[in-house]
């Protein structure tokens, strides 16, 4: 029997996505703050209720045996073993405990078989068969992924990992900028170059987020808060 993971009628994946859910809860919490400041108390309450509901339900995505939040198939209830940096996004919404985040760092972020290495963070872990494709989202480094994982780290006591991500992101940006003045759309996770493939624009705006991480880390934007 073949199990389908895509709703052909609604054109949607049959999936609870850990990354999207983390972003949604973060958005609800921040929008609630804005609504409260503007005097929209009813809207603020609704947004906080949504955030609380999704935060509680995201407990179903935590796999204690592997120390990470996984995407969950809505038609089977099974967790999908394929991961990416978006599986760290629950940190953006302050959903994991400090102990859970410690496991996420030790068992996945710092794991050289998955995301750790000279150049980070690959969109596909190094031990995933898709990593070797080295095209677009399959194995390459994207500045927005680094940026959002970094912002999530700021909610927790993971200063060493946060500093390492900042330094490695800065190094990646400067590698191409200092040699040829390019800021790439995405980068090779093994060499740190961006012009080894045709589908990586040579001057793409979000590539600069790699440098913005370091500006935040060095204290130039102290008012950035996600809580």
């Amino acid at each position: 029997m073949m199990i389908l993971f895509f709703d052909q009628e609604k054109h949607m994946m049959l999936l609870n996505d850990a990354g999207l859910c983390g972003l949604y809860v973060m958005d609800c919490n921040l929008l609630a703050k804005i609504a409260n400041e503007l005097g929209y108390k009813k809207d603020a309450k609704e947004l906080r209720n949504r955030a609380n509901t999704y935060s509680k339900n995201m407990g179903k995505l935590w796999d204690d045996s592997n120390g990470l939040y996984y995407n969950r198939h809505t038609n089977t209830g099974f967790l999908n073993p394929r991961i990416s940096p978006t599986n760290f996004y629950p940190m953006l919404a302050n959903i994991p405990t400090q102990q859970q985040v410690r496991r996420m760092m030790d068992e996945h972020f710092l794991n050289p078989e998955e995301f750790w290495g000279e150049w980070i963070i690959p969109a596909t872990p190094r031990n995933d068969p898709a990593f070797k494709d080295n095209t677009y989202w399959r194995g390459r480094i994207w500045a927005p992924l680094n940026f959002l994982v970094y912002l999530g780290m700021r909610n927790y006591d993971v200063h060493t990992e946060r500093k390492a991500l900042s330094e490695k992101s800065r190094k990646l940006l400067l590698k191409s900028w200092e040699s040829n003045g390019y800021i790439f759309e995405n980068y090779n996770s093994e060499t740190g170059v961006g012009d080894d493939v045709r589908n990586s624009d040579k001057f793409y705006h979000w590539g600069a987020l790699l440098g913005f991480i370091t500006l935040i880390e060095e204290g130039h934007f102290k008012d950035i808060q996600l809580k």
Side-chain angles (χ1 to χ4, degrees), residues 109-110 115-122 126 141 146 150 160-175 187 189 192 209-211 213-214 217:
F109 179 74
L110 295 173
F115 298 111
W116 190 248
E118 180 179 6
W119 308 104
I120 62 173
I121 308 168
R126 303 179 193 279
I141 297 171
N146 281 30
Y150 170 80
T160 300
E161 291 79 11
R162 200 178 80 190
K163 183 177 181 181
L165 177 55
S166 170
E167 292 178 348
K168 285 178 176 290
S169 295
R170 176 179 178 274
K171 179 182 176 183
L172 179 61
L173 174 71
L174 293 179
K175 178 178 175 64
Y187 295 82
S189 298
L209 288 171
L210 293 169
I213 290 173
T214 298
E217 181 66 15

Side-chain angles (χ1 to χ4, degrees), residues 21 30 52 68 71 92 108-109 118 122-123 131 172 184-185 191:
C21 288
L30 295 178
N52 290 335
L68 191 66
N71 301 330
L92 288 164
H108 299 280
F109 179 74
E118 180 179 6
F131 176 83
L172 179 61
F184 287 100
E185 180 182 7
T191 65

Side-chain angles (χ1 to χ4, degrees), residues 24 53 76 79 85 91-92 98 100 123 125 128 135 155 158 164 199 203 227:
Y24 180 73
T53 298
T76 65
L79 298 177
M91 294 190 298
L92 288 164
Q98 177 65 36
Q100 287 175 319
D128 190 301
T135 179
N155 291 330
V158 287
N199 57 355
F203 202 77
K227 295 184 179 180

Side-chain angles (χ1 to χ4, degrees), residues 123-142:
T124 310
R126 303 179 193 279
N127 58 4
D128 190 301
F131 176 83
K132 294 182 179 179
D133 291 349
N134 184 42
T135 179
Y136 233 54
W137 297 105
R138 301 171 75 86
R140 294 182 70 79
I141 297 171
W142 293 75

